[in-house]
Amino acid sequence: MLIPFTGFAQAQKLPYQNASLPVETRVNDLISRLTLEEKINQLFNEAPAIPRLGVPAYNWWNECLHGVARAGKATVFPQAIGLAATFDEPLMFRLATAISDEARAKHHYFLRNNAHGIYMGLTFWTPNINIFRDPRWGRGQETYGEDPWLTGRMAVNFIKGLQGDDPTYFKTIATAKHYAVHSGPEFTRHVDNIFVNDRDLYETYLPAFRAAVKEANVQSVMCAYNRFRDKPCCGSDVLLSNILRKELGFSGYVVSDCGAITDFYKRGYHELVETPSQALGWSISTGTDLNCEESKAFVHNLDSAVQAGIINEKDVNTSLARLFSARFKLGMFDPDEQVPYAKIPMSVVGSTEHLRLAQQAAEKSLVLLKNNGVLPLKKGTTVALIGPNANNVAILIGNYNGDPVNPVTPLKGLREKIGANNVFYTPGSPLVPGVFTDYEVVPANHFFHRVNGKLVKGLQADYFSDVTFRDKPGLSRVDSDVNFRWEKSPVTNVLDEPFAVRWSGMFIPQKSGTYRFGGNVIVKIDDNVVGDSEIQFEKGKQYKFEATLSVVAFWWSSNYQQQFATLTWVETSRNLRKEALEAAKKADVIIFCGGISSNLEGEEMKLETDGFAHGDRTHINLPSIQEDLLKELHTTGKPIVYINFSGSAIALNWEAENLPAIVQAFYPGEATGTALARLLYGEVNPSGRLPITFYKSVNDLPDFKDYRMEGRTYRYFKGDVLYPFGYGLSYSKFEYKNLRVPESVVTGNSLKIAVDIKNTGNHDGEEVAQLYVANTSTSFPTSIRSLAGFKRVYVKKGETKTFEFELTPYQLSIINDSFKRVVTAGSFKIYVGGGQPNSNISFVETAISVTGPDFLIE
C-alpha cells in the first residue's frame, strides 16, 4: 500500500520539518526519532514509509545512462560509448541537463499520482566510469571508453548536468560506478578477486573517480561486486575509507551494486562470512551506506546483532545521516514551491528540443573509419539496404534504456530521406544463427474470435486487477491485435498498479511458413506454450490462440516499466541470402548494417553461442554469418558501405581490406536513422572519434581476467591495431601547423599550448583536436602516451583557426615508486593532431623539459 506524504500537515511541529534550519540539524533530528528497526529498514534501496513521522516511502534505484530509463517514454540519446565518441564536453553537459529535466518532470508526475516505486526517484545510478580495458566486456558499452582522461572529462560534464547548479537543492543525484577495479567478465563478477598494483590503480582505475568527486562533486558512488585484494569492494577499507573518503574527500553516500552484500556470505560466491547480519555489519562499518537488496534477508534478530556488535548502531546512524542528507538536499521534505526543479513540466519529455539534441549527439557519435570516395552518396543514388541491424530497434537503444519517443531505424531514416521506392531492404541474415532482428508486430488481420459461433475480427480481451486471473475481469472488450502501451492500469486507471490481461480467440495465418514469436506476452497455440521455439503455420488454417501478460512489480522491476504488451514475430523460413542478392542487383550502392547488438552483449546474460557467453564476448570477430554474406555481396561488384553497430570493438579485418567505406555507429540513440542518412548523403560531415582501440584479434590481448594494464589500451599496447583510439575520418582534410609551446616549465606550473588548424578540403566540418603527452625520460614505468586534452573545432573549408590547450601539472604527472602522483623533472613529447601520432592523420609535435623539484599532486 502506498502511503502519501503527510509530513507537511504537522508543519513546523518538528525540527526536521523546518526548511529554514540547516540540513544537518534537520537530519539529526529525524534520525533521533527513529527506532532501530526503522533505521535498518532505511538502509535498503526500497526504503519504507514511516507514517508516524510523515516520512514517505522512497526507492533509491533509478537509471539514466543515456536518457531516463525504465520509466516509460523518454528521449533516448546515444549509448554511453557513443557519447564518448563525440569527444564533446559541452554537448555532454547539455545532454545531461536535458536528461535531468525529464527526470525531474517524471518524478513529480509520479508523486502527484502517489507513486513511489522503483525508477521513480531522483537518485540515479549512473554514470558507469569503469575503464573499458578489454573489448570482450559486454558492459563496456555503458562506459566512456578505455582512456582515463576522456572518461573523466565526459563524466564530470554528465554529473554536473544531472546534479544541477542550484545553491540549495540538487536537481538529481548522480552515482559514479562501479568502484573501483571492475570491468568483467560478467560470468565471474560475483567471485572474482582482483589484484593490481598501486601504479595501475592510480594511473588507470581511479582517475575518473577522482575527477567525479573533486571536480563534479558527485554525491553517490556505487561499489562493485568483485573483491579487491581479498576484500569485497563494498567492504574494503582501502577503497572506501582510505581512498574514497580520506584521499579524495568524498562526503556523499555509497550504494552497493545489487546483491553485492549477499555475495559476502552466499554459497558459491565470496563466502567470507556466515550470516546476512555479519555481511550487513561489515559493509556498513566500512562505509557502504545503502544496500541494493531485498531487506527481508537482513532484518531478522536485529537487536541481538547490535548487542553482539555485529551491527554497530553508531555506524548505522552515520549511514542514515548521509542518506537523509541526500533526500533533504533534493528537496524531498520541502514544499514544491521552494524547490525550483519541481516546476519542470512533463512537456519537456521527448520535446522537440530534446529530440533535436538526440539527433545532434547521434550525428557527432558516428565515426568514419574508411572512405575511398564513395561517400558522401550523390543525390539520386538508390540503395540496397541489407543487414540484420538495418531495422533493429535494439541497436538504437543499447542497454539501460528508456522507451524512445520517436525511434528511427536505418530503414526508416533512409526511406524518409530518399523515398521508399529508392530503398530495397532485406535483413539478409540473422545477427548470429538463431538470433533474428526484424521482428514485426503481428498484424490484426490474423486475429479472430467467435460470436454466436461465427468468426469476427479481433481478440476477446479480459483485463484483471488480480494478476493470477482468479477473479472476474474488471474490463472486457475486443482488441484488434496485441500492441499496447499503458500509462496507468487499464482496469483502475491508477499509476503503477498491478494488472493482468488475457487475449483469446483464433489465429489464422495469411501465409504458410516457419515463424518465431517475440514480444513480452506468453503465447499459447492450440493450448501449447510456444516460447521462443519455431512454429510452422499453414495459410488459412485456424489455430486456437491465447496470450497473457501479468504486470507485477518485483524488487528490481516496476509496474510502470512493464506497462506494455507486444506480440511480434519473424518468418525464419525466408531465404534471406537470396533476397539480399536480388536487392543488390536493383540498387546503385549497398548499405550493409551489421555488427552486434545489446541482445548479444550486456549485463550477465544467459545467451551462449559462438562469440558470446553470458553477456561477454569470447572473440571479437564479426559473426561469420554476416561476413560470409558480405563476401558474397562483394562479388556483385556493387560498392558496399558497411555500417557497424556495436558497443565494443569488432575485428573488421576483411572489411577494412576489401570494402570502400566503413562507419562505426555504436548504438546511436533514437535518432539513429535520421543521423545516418544525413551522414551518408553529405548533410553531415563525420566527426566522431574512437574512444576505444579496434584490435585485429582477441589473440593480441592478455587474459580477460588479468586486470594489469600491460598490453592493454592504446596507452600500453605495443602491437599493430586495426584502428587506433582517437581515430576518425572526415569528408574534409585538416592540417595542423605552428605548434607553440614553451621550451620548459617548472614542476607545479601549467603551460599554454597553441596550434593552428586549417581545413584544406572541400567541406566545412568539425575536427576533434587531440593533445597527447609522453614522458620520455622517467625511470618509472609509465604509458607510451596519454590523452591530455581534446577540443572540437568547427573550421570552414579554406579557413585557418588558432586554438589553445592548457596542460596542467596533473597531466604531466606519473606514479613514482612510492605510488604517489608527482611531477618530476625530465623530458616530454607533446603531440597535437587529429588523432594519435603515426596514425596517418595530420599532427605536430615538439619536446619540452620540466625542471624543478618533485611536485606532489594532491
PDB file of all heavy atoms in Angstrom, residues 492-508:
ATOM      1  N   THR A 492      -8.094   0.085 -13.468  1.00  0.00           N
ATOM      2  CA  THR A 492      -8.445   1.047 -12.418  1.00  0.00           C
ATOM      3  C   THR A 492      -8.032   2.478 -12.727  1.00  0.00           C
ATOM      4  O   THR A 492      -8.343   3.390 -11.963  1.00  0.00           O
ATOM      5  CB  THR A 492      -7.782   0.625 -11.093  1.00  0.00           C
ATOM      6  OG1 THR A 492      -6.354   0.664 -11.264  1.00  0.00           O
ATOM      7  CG2 THR A 492      -8.214  -0.777 -10.693  1.00  0.00           C
ATOM      8  N   ASN A 493      -7.251   2.658 -13.814  1.00  0.00           N
ATOM      9  CA  ASN A 493      -6.737   3.983 -14.168  1.00  0.00           C
ATOM     10  C   ASN A 493      -5.830   4.554 -13.072  1.00  0.00           C
ATOM     11  O   ASN A 493      -5.766   5.761 -12.859  1.00  0.00           O
ATOM     12  CB  ASN A 493      -7.875   4.968 -14.468  1.00  0.00           C
ATOM     13  CG  ASN A 493      -7.381   6.166 -15.264  1.00  0.00           C
ATOM     14  OD1 ASN A 493      -6.516   6.036 -16.136  1.00  0.00           O
ATOM     15  ND2 ASN A 493      -7.918   7.341 -14.960  1.00  0.00           N
ATOM     16  N   VAL A 494      -5.101   3.653 -12.387  1.00  0.00           N
ATOM     17  CA  VAL A 494      -4.163   4.045 -11.339  1.00  0.00           C
ATOM     18  C   VAL A 494      -2.742   3.761 -11.817  1.00  0.00           C
ATOM     19  O   VAL A 494      -2.475   2.713 -12.401  1.00  0.00           O
ATOM     20  CB  VAL A 494      -4.449   3.293 -10.027  1.00  0.00           C
ATOM     21  CG1 VAL A 494      -3.363   3.577  -8.987  1.00  0.00           C
ATOM     22  CG2 VAL A 494      -5.805   3.693  -9.490  1.00  0.00           C
ATOM     23  N   LEU A 495      -1.836   4.695 -11.552  1.00  0.00           N
ATOM     24  CA  LEU A 495      -0.446   4.552 -11.958  1.00  0.00           C
ATOM     25  C   LEU A 495       0.273   3.521 -11.096  1.00  0.00           C
ATOM     26  O   LEU A 495       0.072   3.450  -9.889  1.00  0.00           O
ATOM     27  CB  LEU A 495       0.259   5.906 -11.830  1.00  0.00           C
ATOM     28  CG  LEU A 495       1.693   5.998 -12.329  1.00  0.00           C
ATOM     29  CD1 LEU A 495       1.721   5.954 -13.848  1.00  0.00           C
ATOM     30  CD2 LEU A 495       2.333   7.297 -11.834  1.00  0.00           C
ATOM     31  N   ASP A 496       1.109   2.704 -11.739  1.00  0.00           N
ATOM     32  CA  ASP A 496       1.976   1.757 -11.042  1.00  0.00           C
ATOM     33  C   ASP A 496       1.185   0.779 -10.179  1.00  0.00           C
ATOM     34  O   ASP A 496       1.509   0.544  -9.020  1.00  0.00           O
ATOM     35  CB  ASP A 496       2.999   2.507 -10.175  1.00  0.00           C
ATOM     36  CG  ASP A 496       4.199   1.625  -9.841  1.00  0.00           C
ATOM     37  OD1 ASP A 496       4.659   0.893 -10.733  1.00  0.00           O
ATOM     38  OD2 ASP A 496       4.677   1.665  -8.686  1.00  0.00           O
ATOM     39  N   GLU A 497       0.135   0.223 -10.760  1.00  0.00           N
ATOM     40  CA  GLU A 497      -0.688  -0.753 -10.043  1.00  0.00           C
ATOM     41  C   GLU A 497      -0.738  -2.050 -10.855  1.00  0.00           C
ATOM     42  O   GLU A 497      -0.879  -2.017 -12.070  1.00  0.00           O
ATOM     43  CB  GLU A 497      -2.102  -0.211  -9.840  1.00  0.00           C
ATOM     44  CG  GLU A 497      -3.000  -1.110  -9.001  1.00  0.00           C
ATOM     45  CD  GLU A 497      -4.281  -0.401  -8.615  1.00  0.00           C
ATOM     46  OE1 GLU A 497      -5.250  -0.471  -9.401  1.00  0.00           O
ATOM     47  OE2 GLU A 497      -4.327   0.242  -7.556  1.00  0.00           O
ATOM     48  N   PRO A 498      -0.625  -3.200 -10.195  1.00  0.00           N
ATOM     49  CA  PRO A 498      -0.612  -4.475 -10.916  1.00  0.00           C
ATOM     50  C   PRO A 498      -1.917  -4.719 -11.678  1.00  0.00           C
ATOM     51  O   PRO A 498      -2.996  -4.319 -11.252  1.00  0.00           O
ATOM     52  CB  PRO A 498      -0.429  -5.512  -9.801  1.00  0.00           C
ATOM     53  CG  PRO A 498       0.153  -4.762  -8.655  1.00  0.00           C
ATOM     54  CD  PRO A 498      -0.416  -3.386  -8.743  1.00  0.00           C
ATOM     55  N   PHE A 499      -1.792  -5.405 -12.802  1.00  0.00           N
ATOM     56  CA  PHE A 499      -2.962  -5.876 -13.539  1.00  0.00           C
ATOM     57  C   PHE A 499      -2.510  -6.994 -14.474  1.00  0.00           C
ATOM     58  O   PHE A 499      -1.314  -7.257 -14.634  1.00  0.00           O
ATOM     59  CB  PHE A 499      -3.642  -4.735 -14.331  1.00  0.00           C
ATOM     60  CG  PHE A 499      -2.804  -4.140 -15.426  1.00  0.00           C
ATOM     61  CD1 PHE A 499      -2.870  -4.639 -16.730  1.00  0.00           C
ATOM     62  CD2 PHE A 499      -1.967  -3.061 -15.176  1.00  0.00           C
ATOM     63  CE1 PHE A 499      -2.112  -4.080 -17.754  1.00  0.00           C
ATOM     64  CE2 PHE A 499      -1.200  -2.494 -16.185  1.00  0.00           C
ATOM     65  CZ  PHE A 499      -1.276  -3.007 -17.476  1.00  0.00           C
ATOM     66  N   ALA A 500      -3.457  -7.667 -15.058  1.00  0.00           N
ATOM     67  CA  ALA A 500      -3.158  -8.763 -15.977  1.00  0.00           C
ATOM     68  C   ALA A 500      -4.149  -8.727 -17.130  1.00  0.00           C
ATOM     69  O   ALA A 500      -5.256  -8.190 -17.005  1.00  0.00           O
ATOM     70  CB  ALA A 500      -3.218 -10.107 -15.256  1.00  0.00           C
ATOM     71  N   VAL A 501      -3.734  -9.297 -18.260  1.00  0.00           N
ATOM     72  CA  VAL A 501      -4.581  -9.316 -19.453  1.00  0.00           C
ATOM     73  C   VAL A 501      -4.504 -10.705 -20.083  1.00  0.00           C
ATOM     74  O   VAL A 501      -3.448 -11.335 -20.111  1.00  0.00           O
ATOM     75  CB  VAL A 501      -4.127  -8.274 -20.496  1.00  0.00           C
ATOM     76  CG1 VAL A 501      -5.211  -8.102 -21.564  1.00  0.00           C
ATOM     77  CG2 VAL A 501      -3.791  -6.938 -19.856  1.00  0.00           C
ATOM     78  N   ARG A 502      -5.666 -11.150 -20.572  1.00  0.00           N
ATOM     79  CA  ARG A 502      -5.712 -12.386 -21.345  1.00  0.00           C
ATOM     80  C   ARG A 502      -6.442 -12.117 -22.654  1.00  0.00           C
ATOM     81  O   ARG A 502      -7.577 -11.636 -22.657  1.00  0.00           O
ATOM     82  CB  ARG A 502      -6.411 -13.499 -20.572  1.00  0.00           C
ATOM     83  CG  ARG A 502      -6.479 -14.833 -21.371  1.00  0.00           C
ATOM     84  CD  ARG A 502      -6.957 -15.992 -20.531  1.00  0.00           C
ATOM     85  NE  ARG A 502      -8.258 -15.729 -19.942  1.00  0.00           N
ATOM     86  CZ  ARG A 502      -8.555 -15.949 -18.657  1.00  0.00           C
ATOM     87  NH1 ARG A 502      -7.625 -16.411 -17.831  1.00  0.00           N
ATOM     88  NH2 ARG A 502      -9.766 -15.685 -18.191  1.00  0.00           N
ATOM     89  N   TRP A 503      -5.759 -12.386 -23.775  1.00  0.00           N
ATOM     90  CA  TRP A 503      -6.365 -12.271 -25.098  1.00  0.00           C
ATOM     91  C   TRP A 503      -6.636 -13.689 -25.608  1.00  0.00           C
ATOM     92  O   TRP A 503      -5.757 -14.567 -25.531  1.00  0.00           O
ATOM     93  CB  TRP A 503      -5.432 -11.565 -26.074  1.00  0.00           C
ATOM     94  CG  TRP A 503      -5.177 -10.122 -25.764  1.00  0.00           C
ATOM     95  CD1 TRP A 503      -5.890  -9.041 -26.184  1.00  0.00           C
ATOM     96  CD2 TRP A 503      -4.097  -9.592 -24.972  1.00  0.00           C
ATOM     97  NE1 TRP A 503      -5.343  -7.877 -25.711  1.00  0.00           N
ATOM     98  CE2 TRP A 503      -4.230  -8.181 -24.955  1.00  0.00           C
ATOM     99  CE3 TRP A 503      -3.038 -10.161 -24.274  1.00  0.00           C
ATOM    100  CZ2 TRP A 503      -3.347  -7.349 -24.286  1.00  0.00           C
ATOM    101  CZ3 TRP A 503      -2.138  -9.343 -23.600  1.00  0.00           C
ATOM    102  CH2 TRP A 503      -2.314  -7.945 -23.606  1.00  0.00           C
ATOM    103  N   SER A 504      -7.800 -13.919 -26.138  1.00  0.00           N
ATOM    104  CA  SER A 504      -8.131 -15.268 -26.607  1.00  0.00           C
ATOM    105  C   SER A 504      -8.944 -15.189 -27.889  1.00  0.00           C
ATOM    106  O   SER A 504      -9.655 -14.212 -28.149  1.00  0.00           O
ATOM    107  CB  SER A 504      -8.901 -16.032 -25.529  1.00  0.00           C
ATOM    108  OG  SER A 504     -10.075 -15.343 -25.140  1.00  0.00           O
ATOM    109  N   GLY A 505      -8.827 -16.248 -28.692  1.00  0.00           N
ATOM    110  CA  GLY A 505      -9.555 -16.294 -29.946  1.00  0.00           C
ATOM    111  C   GLY A 505      -8.917 -17.289 -30.884  1.00  0.00           C
ATOM    112  O   GLY A 505      -8.429 -18.340 -30.464  1.00  0.00           O
ATOM    113  N   MET A 506      -8.924 -16.936 -32.173  1.00  0.00           N
ATOM    114  CA  MET A 506      -8.365 -17.799 -33.205  1.00  0.00           C
ATOM    115  C   MET A 506      -7.275 -17.040 -33.967  1.00  0.00           C
ATOM    116  O   MET A 506      -7.360 -15.811 -34.151  1.00  0.00           O
ATOM    117  CB  MET A 506      -9.454 -18.249 -34.183  1.00  0.00           C
ATOM    118  CG  MET A 506     -10.614 -18.979 -33.540  1.00  0.00           C
ATOM    119  SD  MET A 506     -10.121 -20.489 -32.669  1.00  0.00           S
ATOM    120  CE  MET A 506      -9.550 -21.497 -34.044  1.00  0.00           C
ATOM    121  N   PHE A 507      -6.266 -17.783 -34.401  1.00  0.00           N
ATOM    122  CA  PHE A 507      -5.162 -17.227 -35.179  1.00  0.00           C
ATOM    123  C   PHE A 507      -5.198 -17.881 -36.555  1.00  0.00           C
ATOM    124  O   PHE A 507      -5.137 -19.111 -36.670  1.00  0.00           O
ATOM    125  CB  PHE A 507      -3.836 -17.523 -34.471  1.00  0.00           C
ATOM    126  CG  PHE A 507      -2.628 -16.948 -35.162  1.00  0.00           C
ATOM    127  CD1 PHE A 507      -2.294 -15.615 -35.008  1.00  0.00           C
ATOM    128  CD2 PHE A 507      -1.812 -17.753 -35.954  1.00  0.00           C
ATOM    129  CE1 PHE A 507      -1.173 -15.089 -35.634  1.00  0.00           C
ATOM    130  CE2 PHE A 507      -0.691 -17.232 -36.585  1.00  0.00           C
ATOM    131  CZ  PHE A 507      -0.368 -15.895 -36.422  1.00  0.00           C
ATOM    132  N   ILE A 508      -5.313 -17.063 -37.608  1.00  0.00           N
ATOM    133  CA  ILE A 508      -5.405 -17.582 -38.968  1.00  0.00           C
ATOM    134  C   ILE A 508      -4.295 -16.948 -39.805  1.00  0.00           C
ATOM    135  O   ILE A 508      -4.385 -15.778 -40.181  1.00  0.00           O
ATOM    136  CB  ILE A 508      -6.788 -17.293 -39.587  1.00  0.00           C
ATOM    137  CG1 ILE A 508      -7.908 -17.844 -38.689  1.00  0.00           C
ATOM    138  CG2 ILE A 508      -6.871 -17.884 -40.991  1.00  0.00           C
ATOM    139  CD1 ILE A 508      -9.308 -17.570 -39.216  1.00  0.00           C
TER     140      ILE A 508
END
